[in-house]
Amino acid sequence: MSDTIERVKCLIIGSGPAGYTAAIYAARANMSPVLYQGTQPGGQLTTTNEVENFPGYPQGITGPEMMMELQAQAQRFEADIRDGWITKVDFSGDVHKVWVNDEKEIHCDTVIISTGASAKYLGLESEQKYLKLGGGVSACAVCDGFFYRNQEVVIVGAGDSACEEAHYLSKLCKKVTMLVRRDEFRASKIMAERVANTENIEILFNTETDEVIGDGQVVTAVRVYNNKTNEKHEIPATGFFVAIGHKPNTDIFKDYLDLDETGYIINKPGTAKTNVPGVFVSGDAADHVYRQAITAAGTGCMAALDAERYLAAKEATVEASAAV
Ligand SMILES: Cc1cc2nc3c(=O)[nH]c(=O)nc-3n(C[C@H](O)[C@H](O)[C@H](O)COP(=O)(O)OP(=O)(O)OC[C@H]3O[C@@H](n4cnc5c(N)ncnc54)[C@H](O)[C@@H]3O)c2cc1C
């Protein structure tokens, strides 16, 4: 083996709640995990101000602070946390090969994928402005809906997730206006009907966002237009929710792992195992349903335990054959 190739027992890709939790468990199980953080150290939560639903923080905590604490906890057990982006993998053999920044090659006994997913946004300048300010734009109703109790909000989207999020918001907010680009939902009939039958949800078909309006700090209204008539009008709102889907960060694995039609990695039910022995998945990279920090952390724990058991079984087989 060349000097440039490093051998590791457990390589973790990604530094969100899933990756750091996997690192804590793997380090405490003596697996000497190496974790690559990627371009977003701390993951998606570093883009949010308040996290109020992660157990153990009765007063809430900011996303960046929480992620620094998770990192410190992993480092306390000597997890090796590194900068770097995984650019290529080869899972065709018994030893799994991973390349960092197209340069460094690592051979791994186990790999835990915790690369998360990215929420899709419309891309409007005003949307991005208030998203970055933390001033009323969100891609997660379950995470942020609570901050808009008894207020009026707008949600964009037409699929099952959008309907589910609109319905969730309707239980907290005074009024929810749902913008649907076409003249019908993409969602299943049952989900569309549930939204249509909810008193405080108003659905505007053939309607798109023109601009998110605010006072420079927070959202105050959304200007929309009818894409058939071009007529514009403003809807008063303090929250603007975007529910047009997520993109899992899994492109580099597609030649080796089973993915669903959106690109989510398919895990064996009730486990963190993928279709490749020794390769495990945790967090949003495999989860299009819950997409929460606590579920990501929970599956990070599962991935480390599954990896530890896989290694133990492999070592036992080697010992048994050596004894024959
Ligand atoms: C604005 C916002 C607010 C939210 N608020 C809440 C909340 O209040 N409560 C809650 O429970 N959830 C919240 N969520 C959801 C929560 O952030 C996610 O469910 C959670 O972060 C998923 O964790 P993860 O570890 O799977 O991945 P992520 O947090 O997405 O982390 C992915 C990691 O993988 C790395 N990565 C990706 N590709 C590579 C690669 N090729 N090589 C190396 N590294 C790579 C990235 O750099 C990143 O570190 C929020 C999400 C957003 C966007």
Side-chain angles (χ1 to χ4, degrees):
M1 193 183 289
S2 116
D3 286 350
T4 57
I5 299 177
E6 185 183 0
R7 178 89 192 219
V8 305
K9 251 188 187 178
C10 177
L11 185 92
I12 300 169
I13 312 175
S15 56
Y20 281 143
T21 305
I24 292 165
Y25 275 79
R28 295 184 78 252
N30 273 343
M31 290 163 75
S32 311
V34 171
L35 178 150
Y36 277 92
Q37 291 183 308
T39 49
Q40 192 178 42
Q44 292 174 62
L45 277 187
T46 57
T47 65
T48 189
N49 286 332
E50 268 316 284
V51 180
E52 291 191 333
N53 54 9
F54 199 90
Y57 297 104
Q59 305 309 321
I61 184 164
T62 70
E65 270 178 299
M66 185 179 129
M67 295 317 298
M68 277 162 64
E69 293 207 353
L70 278 180
Q71 177 176 340
Q73 193 172 352
Q75 283 171 321
R76 179 180 155 212
F77 302 110
E78 294 178 6
D80 184 350
I81 313 281
R82 302 180 184 172
D83 284 341
W85 183 254
I86 306 307
T87 42
K88 197 170 85 169
V89 299
D90 177 352
F91 294 156
S92 59
D94 195 32
V95 169
H96 305 306
K97 299 177 183 168
V98 165
W99 282 262
V100 185
N101 299 331
D102 278 327
E103 287 169 357
K104 187 179 169 61
E105 182 175 339
I106 303 185
H107 289 187
C108 319
D109 293 320
T110 61
V111 176
I112 295 177
I113 298 168
S114 314
T115 48
S118 310
K120 291 183 191 164
Y121 290 93
L122 299 176
L124 294 171
E125 207 178 298
S126 52
E127 169 206 60
Q128 291 302 306
K129 174 180 164 181
Y130 287 102
L131 174 69
K132 287 190 185 111
L133 283 169
V137 173
S138 171
C140 180
V142 175
C143 312
D144 295 328
F146 190 73
F147 300 118
Y148 301 92
R149 285 187 315 281
N150 304 319
Q151 300 174 39
E152 298 190 13
V153 300
V154 168
I155 182 167
V156 181
D160 275 343
S161 294
C163 288
E164 204 166 282
E165 301 223 343
H167 195 251
Y168 182 88
L169 289 170
S170 73
K171 290 191 245 152
L172 296 166
C173 302
K174 190 154 80 183
K175 184 179 175 193
V176 178
T177 305
M178 192 168 187
L179 310 183
V180 178
R181 194 166 46 160
R182 295 190 302 165
D183 56 5
E184 58 179 5
F185 280 106
R186 264 191 310 107
S188 55
K189 197 163 172 264
I190 187 165
M191 294 301 288
E193 275 175 4
R194 189 199 284 180
V195 164
N197 293 335
T198 304
E199 213 174 300
N200 62 342
I201 300 181
E202 182 182 6
I203 304 159
L204 301 180
F205 289 105
N206 295 122
T207 304
E208 297 184 44
T209 311
D210 190 46
E211 194 180 341
V212 179
I213 297 169
D215 62 5
Q217 294 298 318
V218 294
V219 172
T220 54
V222 179
R223 187 166 59 238
V224 301
Y225 66 96
N226 182 301
N227 57 25
K228 294 259 183 247
T229 63
N230 267 331
E231 231 171 88
K232 292 185 182 179
H233 75 279
E234 278 182 25
I235 304 168
T238 48
F240 180 69
F241 287 85
V242 187
I244 57 174
H246 285 73
K247 184 180 181 329
N249 304 317
T250 57
D251 286 353
I252 53 170
F253 310 112
K254 66 175 188 299
D255 291 341
Y256 302 97
L257 299 186
D258 292 341
L259 309 181
D260 73 8
E261 67 282 2
T262 316
Y264 286 97
I265 296 171
I266 298 173
N267 59 306
K268 303 214 155 126
T271 77
K273 294 174 189 168
T274 67
N275 56 301
V276 175
V279 178
F280 305 88
V281 63
S282 58
D284 285 11
D287 175 14
H288 59 93
V289 179
Y290 300 105
R291 295 193 303 249
Q292 292 295 293
I294 186 68
T295 43
T299 52
C301 156
M302 289 167 67
L305 293 179
D306 283 349
E308 198 258 327
R309 284 166 198 165
Y310 167 84
L311 276 180
K314 205 171 164 188
E315 278 160 18
T317 313
V318 172
E319 276 165 26
S321 48
V324 174

